[in-house]
Amino acid sequence: QVQLVESGGGLVPAGGSLRLSCATSGRSFSNRAMGWFRQAPGKEREFVADISSSGISTSYTSSVKGRFTISRDNAKNTVYLQMNSLKPEDTAVYYCAAGVIFGGRGGGYEYWGQGTQVTVSS
């Protein structure tokens, strides 16, 4: 069992920055890949970024490369998404997800947070 709670969302102007946090429970955090997803109004949920259990490997969807950075602090059981140079098209509910234990990136996600709203104004 893993519980995830996102925080850090809000309303920001275009070009601004936000840092999302995902606090997790459970001692298995360090054995799970973690990911961030988002869902905009009227759109399908999409992958944003992921990070390996060790934090060594990361990947991003093309639209956020160079602007977003995913990181994790295994000592704090927390994953972050630093979002810079935000654009209106980044507006969405952002969800944190925990991968299957020992599954690595691409192993699927079995736990999801409730999401945090990010709204970027023009």
Side-chain angles (χ1 to χ4, degrees), residues 4-120:
L4 303 92
V5 180
E6 302 99 332
S7 62
L11 174 65
V12 296
S17 297
L18 285 173
R19 188 183 73 160
L20 306 184
S21 296
C22 175
T24 71
S25 66
R27 61 191 180 190
S28 61
F29 175 78
S30 63
N31 296 122
R32 300 176 185 270
M34 299 292 294
W36 285 97
F37 295 77
R38 67 187 181 186
Q39 187 166 22
K43 300 293 182 68
E44 295 286 306
R45 183 179 64 189
E46 68 169 334
F47 166 80
V48 176
D50 64 17
I51 187 166
S52 62
S53 59
S54 67
I56 293 174
S57 300
T58 61
S59 63
Y60 302 87
T61 191
S62 295
S63 63
V64 309
K65 286 181 180 177
R67 300 188 298 120
F68 291 12
T69 302
I70 187 171
S71 62
R72 66 192 295 160
D73 185 339
N74 285 353
K76 292 182 167 61
N77 289 348
T78 301
V79 63
Y80 306 94
L81 185 67
Q82 178 66 47
M83 305 185 294
N84 298 326
S85 301
L86 283 161
K87 304 174 180 179
E89 51 262 46
D90 295 318
T91 295
V93 177
Y94 283 70
Y95 298 91
C96 177
V100 175
I101 189 167
F102 304 125
R105 296 180 301 145
Y109 297 91
E110 63 177 330
Y111 299 104
W112 297 81
Q114 291 298 304
T116 185
Q117 177 71 49
V118 172
T119 302
V120 184

